[in-house]
Amino acid sequence: MEFVKPLEPILIIDDMQDIRDYLKQILTGLGFDDILESRDFESAKTVIEEKSPNVIFLDIELPNTDGTEILEYLNDRHPHTHVVMCSGHNSLENVQNTWELGAKGFIAKPFNAKKVDSVMKRLELMETITN
């Protein structure tokens, strides 16, 4: 399925380069081309303010910052951004906590193209309904 472009730009915030590369490869394979990346929250803040991404894939465990703190920041300053939390720890508590904080999706690592495709289709549907 070809996606419409309202979900772009997409920002990937993860401290692991190989995770960013893999997710970018998956998103590119799904037809997205406006994909940005940051290794930490400090560098991401600039990208967020300058590019206003519509979707952010956010690692929960970042050095010097907890992903849930970033989620709260995004909810306050960019409430219409779709945040998808990513974590290697997909406990029920982790998932529930991120949903309660306003995440629009959760992907457990290691993820695959099917999981990412499913989340993006759900976000596209949400975007269509709200617009």
Side-chain angles (χ1 to χ4, degrees), residues 37-79:
E37 56 184 86
S38 293
R39 67 184 179 337
D40 57 33
F41 186 42
E42 285 307 309
S43 62
K45 279 184 188 177
T46 304
V47 175
I48 291 165
E49 297 308 320
E50 290 178 1
K51 302 291 185 176
S52 297
N54 287 315
V55 176
I56 297 177
F57 285 88
L58 175 59
D59 186 14
I60 290 179
E61 297 171 14
L62 292 168
N64 304 321
T65 314
D66 181 77
T68 56
E69 292 173 26
I70 300 170
L71 181 57
E72 290 172 350
Y73 169 89
L74 291 168
N75 287 338
D76 289 343
R77 295 204 163 106
H78 303 277

Side-chain angles (χ1 to χ4, degrees), residues 81-110:
T81 301
H82 301 291
V83 180
V84 179
M85 302 302 288
C86 305
S87 176
H89 307 286
N90 62 340
S91 69
L92 181 59
E93 181 182 334
N94 233 356
V95 175
Q96 283 180 325
N97 188 34
T98 58
W99 283 108
E100 289 170 6
L101 292 172
K104 301 294 191 298
F106 185 95
I107 296 181
K109 295 177 184 177

Side-chain angles (χ1 to χ4, degrees), residues 6-61:
L7 293 177
E8 294 182 279
I10 299 167
L11 173 61
I12 303 166
I13 306 173
D14 197 300
D15 58 317
M16 303 290 290
Q17 182 66 51
D18 58 334
I19 298 290
R20 294 194 312 267
D21 290 345
Y22 182 55
L23 186 50
K24 188 172 185 175
Q25 177 185 359
I26 290 171
L27 290 166
T28 301
L30 293 174
F32 296 100
D33 56 3
D34 192 357
I35 305 166
L36 312 162
E37 56 184 86
S38 293
R39 67 184 179 337
D40 57 33
F41 186 42
E42 285 307 309
S43 62
K45 279 184 188 177
T46 304
V47 175
I48 291 165
E49 297 308 320
E50 290 178 1
K51 302 291 185 176
S52 297
N54 287 315
V55 176
I56 297 177
F57 285 88
L58 175 59
D59 186 14
I60 290 179
E61 297 171 14

